[in-house]
Amino acid sequence: MQELNFPPFKYRLKSKENKVSIFDVIRKKFVILQPEEWVRQHCVHYLINVKKFPKSLINVEKELVINDLKKRYDIVVFNSDGSIYLIVECKAPNIAINQTTFDQIARYNMKLNATYLMVTNGFNHYYCLINYKANRYAFLKDIPNYKSF
């Protein structure tokens, strides 16, 4: 797999029946290594190792229902009170980040009400702070580290 715009991390791979899997430290199992999964795993390790979020506050690939349609978010980071701090939408490295991507995470956030949003394809990362009182959002250079909230 190609190098991404994330710090490198120690990953575990295994091959079975001509399919390569990578170990997910959040789900605690091997998952098929697709390009989007490569980005998701880099992002998970970035959140844990760089941003210092505890693994116990991170959730990966869970279902949510929006307008009677079943969807799956990529990564959610919770606050200690159970509210949602951050939603991350991961795309494969060859997928451009565009308005459709932002619309997708905005739809998820209408249900989840996160404080921060992150969109990444492994090369380009976008961060937003949502201000619900003012009904506004602001793009940021990065999201705060865990200890700063």
Side-chain angles (χ1 to χ4, degrees):
M1 299 300 287
Q2 65 192 111
E3 263 189 59
L4 301 176
N5 185 18
F6 279 111
F9 69 97
K10 284 187 143 187
Y11 51 86
R12 292 174 35 205
L13 300 176
K14 77 174 184 178
S15 183
K16 184 178 179 183
E17 300 173 6
N18 293 328
K19 292 187 179 177
V20 176
S21 296
I22 188 168
F23 188 75
D24 182 324
V25 297
I26 302 301
R27 292 178 274 187
K28 297 182 176 127
K29 67 179 184 177
F30 281 91
V31 293
I32 300 295
L33 183 55
Q34 300 286 343
E36 183 177 313
E37 191 63 47
W38 184 241
V39 173
R40 185 170 24 252
Q41 291 306 312
H42 273 78
C43 191
V44 164
H45 285 270
Y46 170 76
L47 293 170
I48 294 167
N49 299 323
V50 175
K51 293 302 184 177
K52 304 300 182 191
F53 289 97
K55 288 183 206 174
S56 61
L57 295 179
I58 300 173
N59 209 316
V60 174
E61 280 260 289
K62 293 292 182 185
E63 185 176 281
L64 70 153
V65 178
I66 300 172
N67 298 327
D68 297 325
L69 297 173
K70 291 181 181 180
K71 303 290 184 181
R72 294 182 81 76
Y73 60 70
D74 285 306
I75 303 169
V76 161
V77 178
F78 293 92
N79 290 303
S80 55
D81 67 3
S83 62
I84 296 177
Y85 179 75
L86 169 70
I87 304 170
V88 182
E89 180 59 31
C90 300
K91 296 295 182 191
N94 65 320
I95 303 295
I97 304 295
N98 57 28
Q99 187 61 49
T100 304
T101 311
F102 288 105
D103 292 346
Q104 178 183 3
I105 199 168
R107 279 192 303 278
Y108 292 177
N109 198 44
M110 287 172 31
K111 178 94 174 183
L112 299 174
N113 298 313
T115 305
Y116 292 92
L117 306 179
M118 176 180 174
V119 175
T120 181
N121 63 5
F123 295 114
N124 301 301
H125 317 302
Y126 300 93
Y127 311 94
C128 290
L129 170 63
I130 307 299
N131 182 333
Y132 291 98
K133 289 180 183 175
N135 201 24
R136 299 181 128 171
Y137 62 91
F139 280 94
L140 307 171
K141 290 184 180 183
D142 202 351
I143 53 171
N145 291 345
Y146 174 71
K147 301 226 184 287
S148 61
F149 70 88

